[in-house]
Amino acid sequence: MTVPADHAAYAEAVQLAVDAAAAYYADGTSTLDDDAYDRLVRGIAAYEDDHPGEVLPDSPTGKVAGGAVVGDVPHLVPMLSLDNVFGPEQLAEWAASVERRIGRPVTEWSVEPKLDGLAIAARYRRGRLVQLITRGDGTAGEDVSHAIGTIVGLPARLTDPVTVELRGEVMMTAAQFEQACAKRQAHDGTTFANPRSAAAGTLRAQDRPYVCELTFFGYAALPTPDDTTELATRLRELPHSQVMEWVAGQGVQTTAVTAVAGIVAHTVEEVQERVGQIAAARPELPFGIDGIVVKCDLAADQADAGFSSRAPRWATAYKLPATEKITKLLAVEWNTGRTGIIAPRAVLEPVELDGSIVTYATLHNAADIARRGLMLGDSVVVYKAGDVIPRVEAPVVHLRTGDETPIAIPDVCPSCGDAIDASQERWRCVRGRACRAIASIQYAAGRDQLDIETLADTRIQQLLDAGLITDFADLFFLTREQILGLERMGEVSTDKLLAALEQAKTRPLSRVFCALGVRGTGRSMSRRIARHFASMDAIRAADAEAIQQVDGIGPEKSPVIVAELAELAPLIDKLVQAGVNMTEPGVTAATEEEPSQALPLSGMSVVVTGAMSGKLESLSRNEMNELIERAGGKASSSVSAKTSLLVAGEKAGSKRAKAESLGVRIVSPEEFAELVAGV
Ligand code: IVH
């Protein structure tokens, strides 16, 4: 922290903080990272302590939302901030101060994640969601009811016809964030800086031509102040943890379904232990958290602790290290990928973010670099949290020294030196997939695709160099003589390779399709496509609209897939000619996604964890997922209340514990093998 030297420096600091708070609360963008903002405000506060006569009316100190004002719908109960603690000692001090204030020990502390999104009030009248309001400045917020219906976890109707205001956090999961970025990229070539600002922008956007999905986690339920019904009285008297159980029972999502569910701790040591667990789980979470909220669980403790002007005294936020930091942009590397896409990558001065050291980050495309006005040597805001790929948000212009230099943009393909097709936002080598044929062939031969066991990378290179293949379909036309003619290739290895190629021709359509490396589709999407259409002919006959019938494919992705299939037509034709299987065993074309009742896992959501054993021992996770889907189930990677079955092998860890706490049925790999034996 730096304390302003004089009134002019103080006034400048206040202006900087006011601008940062305004940007943050308007659309979630940031001109300062959280740490820098906190330091700035602490500096301002220190100056004000020494110069009480000079305090400016705009000063952010002591104000909710740093004084930023947004919205005109009054809150029935103010939406407050939380005070912070920054470590175990401060946590213990805070807990002791609460106990002193209420004059007795606190034996029930609720410990839950601090979700890094936007606070929202969801008003339900007789069980129907009627209004959504942002936090705004805490006393009034903005009506964002237009977002109703786009927020996962916030149902339009509750289980019971109750009138209540639910509060919680609106955010984007890593998957939702990726989808939102892809949609925006397809629409205007820009992306969102981070999930938080994407959620903020999305929540307020009214006339976007595309819809992005959001997620809600509830953390409070408030009856309206004048409500004297039995439910209102109960909600006022129940411990917080039980209120949250009631909320979940109403069909609203709470953190109970996550790996960092709220718990009740009985001592400060237990609180600290849970803080440690949540912090440790953070890098794996599919959504951002920026701390842990510790609350008095009992209504009486909360009532006796009361409120300060900006925050409750019965709760505090244990802050975790920022997931957004400022570091230096050292270089930009340009790489051509498997499909010929040329993408820039930022090389950064290493920086610790969310439990890992970040040295590389995504930079999207050349236009994006230009739009952000990035230069080499710039201080840049870098974001990484949970599952999200590290990304450069923006340069911090006021930290420029004058030594920054322009970023060189390539004028030829960095891999082959041929021309660049720059007609789309995402640049591509004019040679397309042929540019990095080796990478495409390696991918196609990989274990989860055609699984051509004996085909080493050096062998692929040899075949390419000899001009015997240009793509992976050519492999199936190789003659014994051609293979034998290669250096270091004997009779035995030749026969092995030929046998492996024969085997590869019999793979199910899902793997053959995956081997094509269609942009925007991976293993699980390929399985969904194959199961939906049942044959390559049906896939190829589908237009963009028909492809959108597949779960998880929206209007942005479907035209890309259609265009990719057109581009890949000669390759697919060659595969057909070679006799490669083009159907999905056990599937007949689905017109509607109607789960077949006959299969053992129909309608079930199944998660696999730990090491497989018995008959399933040799199966990779991908193969387990294939098996689950063949048996009619849905394979998922995380345990939630919706999970029907957990297959838990040796060394199963947190997923098993989670499933136990949720009462999810758990089976051993052997039991599971029995269950799906007929498939
Ligand atoms: S309780 C009276 N619980 O943090 C304030 N807030 O800094 C009670 N937040 O505006 C808030 N996760 O947006 C609460 N589990 C949680 C939370 C949480 C995130 C946010 C919320 C609030 C901000 C305060």
Side-chain angles (χ1 to χ4, degrees), residues 80-82 112-115 118-119 135 169 219 293 295 307 312 314:
L80 299 177
S81 291
L82 287 171
E112 53 198 63
K114 184 165 191 291
L115 305 154
L118 302 105
R135 174 174 162 199
E169 207 79 350
Y219 55 64
V293 184
K295 303 172 180 171
F307 296 86
W314 45 263

Side-chain angles (χ1 to χ4, degrees), residues 566-586:
E567 182 181 311
L568 290 160
L571 176 71
I572 303 172
D573 289 341
K574 259 199 270 182
L575 292 169
V576 172
Q577 205 196 331
V580 173
N581 170 56
M582 292 291 164
T583 57
E584 190 68 0

Side-chain angles (χ1 to χ4, degrees), residues 34-35 38 83-87 114 290-292 317-321:
D34 275 6
D35 276 356
D38 285 348
D83 286 329
N84 297 322
V85 295
F86 292 90
K114 184 165 191 291
D290 56 349
I292 292 100
Y318 188 112
K319 292 292 265 190
L320 290 176

